[in-house]
Structures are given as structure tokens and as C-alpha cells.
Amino acid sequence: MLSIIIPCFNEEEAIPLFFEKMEIVKKNISQELEYIFVDDGSKDLTLQVLRELATRHDFVRYISFSRNFGKESALYAGLQTATGDLVTVMDVDLQDPPELLPQMIEMIETTDIDCVGTRRADRKGEPPIRSFFAKKFYQLINRISETEMVDGARDYRLMTRQMVDAILELTEHNRFSKGLFSWVGFKTEYISFENRERAVGETSWSFWKLFNYSIDGIVNFSDAPLNIASFVGAFSCLFAVIAMLFIIVRALIFGDPTSGWPSLVTIILFIGGVQLLCIGIIGKYIGKIFMETKKRPVYIVKETEKKLEQ
């Protein structure tokens, strides 16, 4: 069986289009399918659309959260619910080409790989500023982290049950799936496709959300920022010692003039800024530790398709 995990947030218009497209692709797939839609606290009629789908088709399942917990939580819930020997994750907006699925299944069935990932061949149609920062993020994370992340890689991938079970063993609250998929290892091959626009609606991912998401990825998979903070702190101390010696020597040779207040204020502001930067970096890691120690659930389920059966 193939389990298809589809996170949804305010996607009432996209769901019917996605399902119609998948039913066409389904004809080229020999395996049985189960759809697992995860409603991430949508404010529109997404849940109602999922209820109707589940009523008409017994192979359609859904999970509805009590509020919006984020895409990472939706992916985790879908992976926990999936029962198939093969599991794939897809976006409902059809930016992930469903027609690639037969090829992905064939690659896994005819080779010894555990995962077939997808990546965009280009970022055509994406705002230039977003493309620039996305490329810089992948360059940075691959330099400072031991976990390699492929530039342009999508969450859209086909995984074996063994790989899915390995991912589910990672029960951390702060999740960054692109990193987790790579961290567990397993042999992975990538296929490329041309970038696609959403079939309908607008993305809920703003530049600021993507920026925060990238910061989470760096903090979750690298301690380089802490090392940088330590280096900057050590450099500041060394600079302060050199400046102090310079002031003492100048005072002994030329006396102690009263001038120099602007430079003094500048140095104080510089050192204060460095300290706040380092404290902020350390605080980010402490905040992640704080969230982990609370051991709150990654998500809370409000409703599933089983409610309709009662």
C-alpha cells in the first residue's frame, strides 16, 4: 500500500483539484492508495471538504488539528498515521507533480534505494529576493552542519517503511523535516522538475515565516552560531585589552587628555552590541531547550474520519 500524506491549511479550493489529479495518476500505479489529509487548523471550509471526501471514499482519511500547529506538526501526524509500505509527502497545491509518482515507485522497487526525493531544477516564478536568500541558506547550512541538505529539495519524496519508522523515532518538538530526512541517512536519489505555480490560492509562507524557518533549521542542525558567539566574545576581550594597553601607554607618554569621548562611547556601544548579539544566540538555543523540556505534544487532534463512522 502507498500512503499519501497531504498537509492542508486553508485549501478548500485546492483539495478537489488535487484529488482529481491524483485519481488520474492512480491508474498508472499498481499499489493500493490511502490518502491522509492533515487539516492544520484551517479557518475556511477545508475540514468540510475533507469530511465529504472521506464519506464518499473509504480510502480517504483525515486528521484535523484543534488549531494551527504548523506544517512540521502536520507532517509528523501524517507519518504517524500512515500504514503503507511506501509513504509519500505531497503539497495539495499541485506544486509537487503527482505524475512523478509512478517513476518514483519504479525507482524504489527496482533498485536498493530507500527514498526518492524531488528537487526544483530552477526557481522560475519565485520572487528574486526569496530565491537569493534560499540559495544562501543552503550554502550556509551545508557549510556549518554535518547534515547535508540539497538545494531546491522539496518535502515531496517517496520513502520506504524502514525510513519512515526511523524518522518517527525522532520525537523532538522542534522539527525541521528537510534536516530530519537527511539526518536519518538511508540511500536517497533525487529527480528534478521544473518549478510550478500553485494551482489555486496563495501561499501562506511569507518571507518572514521562511526566514524564521531557516533560523530554526540552522539552530536544530548546527552549533556553529554558538561557536561564532564564543569567537566574537574572545575577539572583543582581546580588542579591549589592546585598547586598554594603548590608552595606558598614551597616557604615560603624552599625558591624560580629556578628549576621546566620542571614541569611548563608540567602543562601549560596540561592545554592548556584541554582548547582546551573543546573548541572543545563546538565548535562541536555550529557548529550544526550554520547549523540549516542557514535553508538550507536537499537535492535538480535534477530529478524524473515524468520527464519521460512529
Side-chain angles (χ1 to χ4, degrees):
M1 177 181 288
L2 170 63
S3 298
I4 305 175
I5 301 169
I6 313 106
C8 303
F9 179 66
N10 295 335
E11 299 285 5
E12 60 174 295
E13 296 179 350
I15 293 172
L17 296 177
F18 172 84
F19 186 76
E20 180 181 353
K21 181 67 175 179
M22 277 302 308
E23 286 298 283
I24 296 175
V25 174
K26 180 180 178 180
K27 299 175 183 178
N28 299 320
I29 298 176
S30 58
Q31 301 208 17
E32 294 184 18
L33 269 62
E34 70 167 355
Y35 295 86
I36 303 175
F37 291 91
V38 185
D39 173 30
D40 188 18
S42 298
K43 302 298 182 181
D44 61 358
L45 298 178
T46 293
L47 180 57
Q48 181 61 35
V49 173
L50 295 181
R51 286 171 179 162
E52 293 174 359
L53 270 181
T55 301
R56 295 199 304 266
H57 307 283
D58 57 4
F59 52 84
V60 173
R61 307 173 63 188
Y62 71 85
I63 305 168
S64 180
F65 290 168
S66 61
R67 65 170 177 83
N68 178 246
F69 284 89
K71 185 178 180 180
E72 292 295 334
S73 298
L75 290 177
Y76 186 52
L79 291 174
Q80 284 186 315
T81 307
T83 60
D85 297 323
L86 294 177
V87 178
T88 187
V89 176
M90 301 180 68
D91 283 347
V92 73
D93 55 19
L94 293 177
Q95 284 188 297
D96 297 332
E99 60 269 21
L100 291 180
L101 265 180
Q103 178 185 351
M104 296 164 72
I105 294 173
E106 182 181 3
M107 289 177 65
I108 280 192
E109 290 180 339
T110 58
T111 63
D112 62 344
I113 61 177
D114 298 282
C115 175
V116 179
T118 63
R119 58 178 300 183
R120 292 181 291 185
D122 55 55
R123 296 182 180 273
K124 184 178 179 181
E126 191 175 67
I129 187 69
R130 180 180 295 183
S131 297
F132 173 79
F133 279 101
K135 291 180 180 178
K136 293 303 178 184
F137 165 74
Y138 282 107
Q139 291 174 2
L140 176 62
I141 193 68
N142 285 323
R143 281 182 175 271
I144 64 178
S145 173
E146 295 180 357
T147 302
E148 182 181 0
M149 300 184 196
V150 178
D151 186 6
R154 303 277 296 175
D155 289 328
Y156 181 29
R157 63 191 62 221
L158 183 67
M159 299 171 284
T160 62
R161 169 51 56 183
Q162 183 181 15
M163 181 172 175
V164 172
D165 290 342
I167 294 171
L168 291 176
E169 291 183 17
L170 309 178
T171 58
E172 58 213 60
H173 184 276
N174 301 289
R175 306 185 67 81
F176 185 75
S177 290
K178 284 185 174 65
L180 296 178
F181 292 148
S182 297
W183 187 89
V184 295
F186 296 97
K187 191 172 182 179
T188 301
E189 297 285 345
Y190 285 89
I191 55 179
S192 300
F193 65 91
E194 297 295 325
N195 190 37
R196 296 187 175 187
E197 297 292 332
R198 287 178 57 95
V200 66
E202 296 182 359
T203 179
S204 60
W205 285 92
S206 63
F207 177 80
W208 182 245
K209 285 184 178 180
L210 288 172
F211 179 77
N212 285 332
Y213 187 60
S214 65
I215 295 297
D216 287 340
I218 292 173
V219 171
N220 287 351
F221 285 92
S222 175
D223 60 357
L226 290 174
N227 295 330
I228 293 173
S230 300
F231 173 79
V232 171
F235 175 79
S236 299
C237 290
L238 178 62
F239 177 79
V241 170
I242 294 174
M244 181 177 62
L245 292 175
F246 172 76
I247 293 172
I248 292 174
V249 171
R250 188 183 67 171
L252 292 175
I253 298 176
F254 301 104
D256 188 16
T258 57
S259 60
W261 284 104
S263 59
L264 178 61
V265 171
T266 301
I267 292 173
I268 291 175
L269 290 176
F270 171 74
I271 299 300
V274 169
Q275 290 175 333
L276 289 175
L277 173 63
C278 295
I279 291 174
I281 292 174
I282 296 171
K284 187 69 174 177
Y285 282 88
I286 293 176
K288 294 292 184 182
I289 296 172
F290 177 61
M291 292 303 297
E292 293 292 344
T293 57
K294 287 184 176 182
K295 297 191 179 300
R296 290 177 177 173
V298 178
Y299 59 88
I300 297 175
V301 176
K302 178 183 178 181
E303 180 183 328
T304 69
E305 80 286 346
K306 294 180 180 179
K307 178 180 178 181
L308 303 176
E309 300 173 358
Q310 295 177 352

